[in-house]
Amino acid sequence: MREEIAAPSSRQLRKRHRSRHQKSRLGCFACKSRRVKCDEARPVCGSCSSRGEPCSFPEPPPVSNSTRREASRSRHRGARCPHVQHSPSFLSPLDIYVSRSADSPPPVDDQSLDLDDILSVQFFHMHTAQEMSLNPSRSKVWRRVIPDLAASHHYLMHLLLALGGIHMITHSRQRRGETAAPDLLVVINHHQRGLQGFREEVARISNSNAEAVYAGSLLLVAFVYMSLQVPELNPSATTPNHQPLETIYKPRLRWLHIIRGVSTVIRDQWPVLKASRMRPMVLYFHGEEYWDDLPLASSLSNLVRCSPRFLVFAQGTCQAIADLRACCDAIQPPDSNGPPSTPGVSPATSDGAGYGPSRAVDMLEKVYFCVVAVLKCSVSEWGSPDDSDIQGNLEEAAVQSWPNLIPDDLITLLDIGEPADVGWGLSLVILAHYYVVNTLMDCGLLASFKEEVLKIQMSVSNIDDAMLSQLMVWPVKVATA
């Protein structure tokens, strides 16, 4: 141990430098997860460039004796831990690269909190955790259980700091800088450090760490929702010639994969989680099956004390679904298993399992029915409910779980489809209808979805298809009511 702490000779430093380069210790996270050598080219390494994947790097350590000693201890700790062989695909979209300017703050140290970190922790406790749920039990998990887990898991503390920091940034910008906010690069640095540790834990998930891993999943999901409100983390789409798409909006879909990945953690560790401190986060007693046999005959005329969007939603739901079905049938007849009649649209599967947009509308109808049932139950329960009454019931009905219901082939159509194609435009319209559910929730975490609906409207209008433009009238009306 004394030999490790002693100052190394110049020959030893040269040897360490060569070894570090050969093992790509400063390589990007993607190459490290695949266990391949990284050429360390920045901002995007050669491997990630050839794969077309996002590329992000760990921050280079400052040159000091204390850093060398900490690195030595870290190497010894890493030797006792199994190396990560792979990470689930739903984690990769979280990688973010933001260039560092010369006057940017230095990277954070794992063992210390600077002023920005203290502000982020304080903001998380005072605002972020308070806004995550209307249910007292789930709110308590955010206010007490998750911070308690973060105190004993460094990667969770980084994720908590990242969430509190990005929420603080969005809050400050909405109030035009009235409150201080941490540097975005500091926030992203915490996110990357937390993500790296989270990947390692997911790779060896078991009964012993399932509670912490699920807490990390929730922090990551909240972060990705909040990141949709930060323009720096949402670069404009480009054409094959790398020219900005000024008129065609290509939505960010990577966050959908993150949401869907959380359900995998819950499913695999269900027995443990339902008996842990995270129990309130996985048990919703008024899920989809709860509404199937309810005699819902309540009139919705009593929705006068709440926001107009609820009444607009209830009055137009049936017609919106019927119009979407008619459009799907116009593109591909319901009894046809062959290719769609519109060029550029592919069948969902080769075995005739169904056309992706049609099946997405089926799932959308279930979600919409659940929302209308909640509205009617709220009227029966409260007489004249207000927004908080309705939103509390919407939370219990788990209507925000809709990302898990979207068929994979619809996401594929949106992801690789050709912008300005009618089939791609229909998929975009269906996505906007799903987004409407999030606009019903008065939550800062979901504040970006109104703008997302408006962006889709602008994009659809440029496709120059009267049927698609008409389908966008209702979701825009709800989102802006």
Side-chain angles (χ1 to χ4, degrees):
M1 181 61 70
R2 285 194 297 270
E3 293 178 355
E4 293 176 356
I5 296 177
S9 65
S10 58
R11 181 178 180 180
Q12 288 173 324
L13 285 175
R14 288 195 299 273
K15 183 177 180 180
R16 288 182 186 178
H17 177 74
R18 289 194 299 272
S19 176
R20 183 164 58 249
H21 177 74
Q22 291 171 357
K23 293 183 180 180
S24 187
R25 296 192 184 278
L26 296 180
C28 73
F29 290 123
C31 290
K32 286 179 179 291
S33 66
R34 291 195 298 268
R35 303 195 71 183
V36 299
K37 184 177 179 181
C38 179
D39 61 13
E40 302 180 15
R42 302 195 183 216
V44 181
C45 74
S47 178
C48 290
S49 176
S50 63
R51 292 172 177 267
E53 297 179 349
C55 184
S56 59
F57 288 85
E59 296 295 342
V63 181
S64 67
N65 289 335
S66 61
T67 301
R68 295 190 186 102
R69 289 195 295 270
E70 178 61 28
S72 177
R73 289 193 293 269
S74 298
R75 287 194 294 271
H76 282 284
R77 288 196 298 267
R80 294 194 295 267
C81 298
H83 195 80
V84 181
Q85 300 295 326
H86 65 280
S87 58
S89 60
F90 73 86
L91 295 181
S92 58
L94 281 173
D95 288 336
I96 299 172
Y97 176 81
V98 179
S99 60
R100 177 176 294 278
S101 61
D103 57 350
S104 297
V108 297
D109 190 288
D110 283 332
Q111 308 300 327
S112 63
L113 294 178
D114 61 15
L115 181 58
D116 277 348
D117 299 336
I118 294 172
L119 290 174
S120 296
V121 169
Q122 184 183 45
F123 194 86
F124 178 89
H125 284 284
M126 295 180 62
H127 298 281
T128 310
Q130 307 288 342
E131 298 178 14
M132 298 306 296
S133 175
L134 295 171
N135 179 278
S137 296
R138 286 188 283 275
S139 178
K140 183 177 179 180
V141 171
W142 280 101
R143 290 182 289 107
R144 298 186 182 181
V145 177
I146 291 179
D148 183 57
L149 289 169
S152 54
H153 296 80
H154 285 169
Y155 75 94
L156 289 183
M157 181 56 73
H158 283 302
L159 294 177
L160 186 151
L161 288 168
L163 176 57
I166 198 169
H167 189 193
M168 196 173 180
I169 288 173
T170 59
H171 184 270
S172 175
R173 292 179 178 181
Q174 290 168 1
R175 300 195 171 213
R176 302 185 182 277
E178 292 180 9
T179 58
D183 190 284
L184 180 58
L185 290 172
V186 173
V187 172
I188 297 305
N189 187 33
H190 279 303
H191 169 73
Q192 297 289 23
R193 287 170 179 255
L195 178 59
Q196 185 178 20
F198 179 77
R199 283 172 165 163
E200 295 173 359
E201 291 298 307
V202 169
R204 51 174 178 261
I205 189 170
S206 65
N207 292 352
S208 61
N209 69 349
E211 185 181 47
V213 169
Y214 181 52
S217 300
L218 295 177
L219 289 167
L220 286 172
V221 167
F223 181 90
V224 77
Y225 267 127
M226 199 68 69
S227 70
L228 292 173
Q229 304 177 42
V230 181
E232 296 92 323
L233 304 182
N234 296 276
S236 301
T238 57
T239 65
N241 296 325
H242 303 287
Q243 297 297 320
L245 288 171
E246 297 180 354
T247 58
I248 299 298
Y249 166 66
K250 192 127 184 185
R252 280 174 53 88
L253 301 173
R254 296 181 293 178
W255 68 273
L256 284 172
H257 300 290
I258 310 300
I259 307 292
R260 293 153 76 92
V262 175
S263 62
T264 303
V265 176
I266 299 175
R267 182 177 63 249
D268 295 345
Q269 300 298 323
W270 173 250
V272 177
L273 292 176
K274 71 178 182 179
S276 71
R277 291 180 293 174
M278 303 298 291
R279 171 186 173 89
M281 307 302 296
V282 297
L283 293 181
Y284 286 80
F285 296 103
H286 297 161
E288 180 182 329
E289 67 285 350
Y290 175 83
W291 309 99
D292 292 341
D293 55 356
L294 287 180
L296 299 173
S298 300
S299 170
L300 294 175
S301 59
N302 288 344
L303 295 175
V304 293
R305 292 180 53 203
C306 60
S307 299
R309 62 181 180 274
F310 291 114
L311 188 57
V312 173
F313 179 90
Q315 291 174 339
T317 300
C318 293
Q319 188 62 49
I321 294 295
D323 292 343
L324 286 173
R325 290 194 189 282
C327 187
C328 289
D329 292 345
I331 290 181
Q332 173 159 322
D335 295 331
S336 172
N337 290 327
S341 59
T342 301
V345 181
S346 302
T349 59
S350 58
D351 59 2
Y355 177 43
S358 296
R359 294 195 298 116
V361 173
D362 292 339
M363 295 296 102
L364 180 67
E365 183 177 30
K366 291 183 179 181
V367 178
Y368 277 8
F369 170 79
C370 189
V371 174
V372 173
V374 166
L375 295 177
K376 291 184 176 180
C377 275
S378 299
V379 170
S380 298
E381 180 181 7
W382 300 99
S384 295
D386 58 23
D387 283 13
S388 61
D389 298 329
I390 294 175
Q391 291 177 16
N393 286 337
L394 286 174
E395 181 180 329
E396 288 306 312
V399 296
Q400 286 180 258
S401 64
W402 59 262
N404 294 314
L405 302 178
I406 297 180
D408 291 333
D409 40 20
L410 182 77
I411 298 178
T412 301
L413 282 172
L414 284 165
D415 212 9
I416 65 176
E418 184 66 27
D421 176 80
V422 174
W424 181 84
L426 173 60
S427 300
L428 196 61
V429 169
I430 295 173
L431 182 65
H433 279 69
Y434 275 103
Y435 283 176
V436 163
V437 177
N438 280 0
T439 67
L440 298 176
M441 302 294 290
D442 187 15
C443 173
L445 200 67
L446 307 175
S448 63
F449 284 92
K450 173 184 174 181
E451 295 301 322
E452 294 296 303
V453 171
L454 295 177
K455 290 177 183 177
I456 291 177
Q457 179 199 31
M458 182 177 297
S459 179
V460 169
S461 67
N462 284 285
I463 296 178
D464 196 23
D465 183 275
M467 181 169 53
L468 293 182
S469 297
Q470 183 61 33
L471 289 175
M472 281 302 303
V473 172
W474 181 78
V476 170
K477 186 176 180 181
V478 176
T480 58

